Every structure is written in C-alpha cells, then in structure tokens.
Amino acid sequence: MTSTQADPALQALLLPFADGTLAWPSAGALFLRARDGWPLHERPLPGLVCEQGFKPDADALRRSGWDVRAPDDGKYPLVLVLPPRQRDEARALFAEALDRLQPGGVIIASAANDAGAKSHEADLARIAGPLSSRSKHKCRVFWTRPGAAGGDAALAAQWRGLDAPRPIAGGRFTSRPGVFAWDRIDAASALLAQHLPADLRGNAADLGAGWGYLSMELLQRCPGIAALDLYEAEARALALARVNLEPFAARAALGFHWHDVTAGLPSRYDVIVSNPPFHAQGNVARPDIGRRFIAVAAEALRPGGRLWLVANRHLPYEQVLDASFGSVRVAAQHDGFKVVEAVKAGHGAGRVR
C-alpha cells in the first residue's frame, strides 16, 4: 500500500489526535503492526517508532522515513495498535501493548467494522479497563489509560501466550495463530505437493513459503534438490519455517529470506514452487500479486527451469504464464484448485501450450 491509498482503519486511528481529543506525547510513541499511509503525514508525529513484521509494509514505512525497528522491551507513553483479524493473535498483541506502555500512558487501537472491531474493542476493555471509542470511516477507534478499575492483569498475562508457536497436524509441524493456514495443511498446497514429480533437481526456491510446508514436501519427494531458498514476507511465518526445516539442514543447503517476492529475486534457480497469495490488507482480492509472483519466477528460472504452481481455478493467471514460459500445462484440477507446470524456454526452444 502506498501512502496515498485509502486505509480507513489508519485514518480512524489518528482521528483523536487530529481533532485534539488526545495529545501526541513529546516523548514519542510505539506503533504495533504499523502501516504507512497519508494520515501519518498530515501532522508531525515526533518520536514515532514502528514495528511491522510484514516486509512490504515495513519497506513502505522505511521509504517514508519512519523509524522501523525489531521488537524490543522498550516502553512508551503511547502505544498505537492496528490489530490483526485472527483473534488469538490480536489478543496477544493487546497484551503486548500493555507490557510496552509506560505508567499513565495511553493505548489506542482501530479496526474496520467488518474486521472484528467490536470484538477487538471488548477484548482490550477486558484487560485494560474502561475505554473511550468512536465510529468513523466504517471503523471503530478506541483508547484507554490502563490502571483504572476494571482491567484484568491475570487475563492479560494469559493472553500474552495466545499466539505462541505450537505443534499442529499431530505434532508433525510447528505453527502459530495469525500466519496463513496456521492450524492446518492448506488444501491447495497439499494438492501441489501430491503432484510434485520426483525428478525435480538442482537449486530450488519456494515463493511465499509460509511456515514451510511446501519446502518440506519438496525436499522429501525430490532427492535431487541440492539447495532450497525460502522467500516469505511475514517474519513470524519465516521464523516457523526455520524450525520446521531444521531436520533437513543436513539434507540440502537452506536459505531463509524475509523478502517481498514482488520486488524480484536476487538468485537464479532450476526449480520454483509456489502457492502465491492473492489477497491484500482487508482480505481484498489482489490477483495481480499472484501474476507478479509468476513473472518473477520466470525471471529467476534458468532456461529449462520448471515452475510448479497451485492456484484457485478462477484466478486469471493464464496470460502471464503463456507470456513468460515456453510450455505450460495443467497437471491437476481438484476441489476448485489447479496445479500448473510451466517450463522456461531454453535456447532455441519453441512454445508449447
């Protein structure tokens, strides 16, 4: 998202400062799950520190000159929060906001009405005490000065661990609330894994690797894979992939990259696998992201290199596949998904559909 695009939740979050209801502290503030946008640029926000684990959003904040840092234990007189949709993850984030707040400070949060705003507001009230709130731009903004009667410190302590990594799928993998398909094996990824041919070999990449399921399946099914780079934009998911791929460290050279795939790849590969995302903030459909993943894969593959891709059958990827690869075939279709193999043209190779 660019700083000129609409972001109603961010706009609502800054509203109490714009109209003078709340004063911006001279000692600065912490912004959890920060996003760049024009409301951040309307007035000076001295000392704002941003934390964001999603690479495209972190990069956008840095391009705008904001101070983006890795999580630490610093405390602030003001903590701003844009809570995620997943409720356990959001509750853990509210508990973190309490931990990062100086005595007497203010927590303020905002969410779209159709993204659980009322539930988020009720949750913050349970651990922090009475709130003030306002509705605007089809969002709710709500804030509190914890310390008054009504906050539940014991519940806040319990919520701090709600998004902790844990075993899933009978203990086969480690995941955590908030990452894509966090508590299950994604059906589309499973379909792709079932159709990966055993003869894939050489240097490989997994684009949008998540917590590492496809990468693990690729290494298990294809003994010729000598090296594998995982590219993932969400830092929380990439950390899980490191854990899940640890048993394969002696099997192949592994690379873990916190990276926005749409910006291109720094290396060349013989094999690429991907279940590309096609939604953006607010669950808005963004098939252009998937198309860009395909174009980037084509750029990164060596001549004769193979892309194995899974997508919803309705997504319009055929044009970019045909334009980018020498041959394209649908290897499987099931339950609304399609598995595609695309081979990059070699020197002198023709195009096959």
Side-chain angles (χ1 to χ4, degrees), residues 145-187:
R145 197 178 298 272
D152 190 334
L155 183 61
Q158 177 185 328
W159 282 4
R160 288 186 195 109
L162 284 181
D163 71 337
R166 67 202 65 183
I168 65 165
R172 292 173 59 200
F173 313 109
T174 298
S175 187
R176 66 190 302 180
V179 302
F180 173 70
W182 81 268
D183 58 350
R184 65 194 186 281
I185 297 172
D186 173 64

Side-chain angles (χ1 to χ4, degrees), residues 83-92 94-95 98 116-129 131 142 144 150-152 155-156 159 162:
R85 284 176 173 265
Q86 211 285 332
R87 197 165 188 183
D88 283 349
E89 184 189 9
R91 284 176 165 177
F94 285 141
L98 278 176
K118 287 189 175 180
S119 296
H120 289 322
E121 182 177 359
D123 284 344
L124 182 58
R126 289 179 67 185
I127 63 171
L131 304 176
F142 41 96
T144 182
D152 190 334
L155 183 61
W159 282 4
L162 284 181

Side-chain angles (χ1 to χ4, degrees), residues 148-234:
D152 190 334
L155 183 61
Q158 177 185 328
W159 282 4
R160 288 186 195 109
L162 284 181
D163 71 337
R166 67 202 65 183
I168 65 165
R172 292 173 59 200
F173 313 109
T174 298
S175 187
R176 66 190 302 180
V179 302
F180 173 70
W182 81 268
D183 58 350
R184 65 194 186 281
I185 297 172
D186 173 64
S189 295
L191 182 66
L192 175 55
Q194 292 167 14
H195 289 85
L196 290 175
D199 66 347
L200 296 176
R201 61 190 307 105
N203 293 346
D206 183 351
L207 308 188
W211 49 260
Y213 169 75
L214 266 180
S215 289
M216 289 181 283
E217 290 287 346
L218 180 67
L219 291 172
Q220 287 176 328
R221 295 168 182 266
C222 307
I225 297 297
L228 176 59
D229 284 336
L230 289 78
Y231 292 94
E232 172 54 44
E234 177 51 62

Side-chain angles (χ1 to χ4, degrees), residues 204 206 209 215 227-231 238 242 252-258 269:
D206 183 351
S215 289
L228 176 59
D229 284 336
L230 289 78
Y231 292 94
L238 188 65
R242 288 181 180 274
L254 301 177
F256 299 89
H257 307 276
W258 186 47
Y269 299 98

Side-chain angles (χ1 to χ4, degrees), residues 245-262:
L245 270 292
E246 188 174 352
F248 299 90
R251 152 77 176 77
L254 301 177
F256 299 89
H257 307 276
W258 186 47
H259 186 77
D260 178 5
V261 169
T262 66

Side-chain angles (χ1 to χ4, degrees), residues 59 122 126 136 156 167 170 221 230 241 247 271 279 285 287 289 295 331 335 349:
D59 288 346
R126 289 179 67 185
K136 189 75 172 179
R221 295 168 182 266
L230 289 78
V271 175
H279 287 98
I289 297 176
D335 287 345

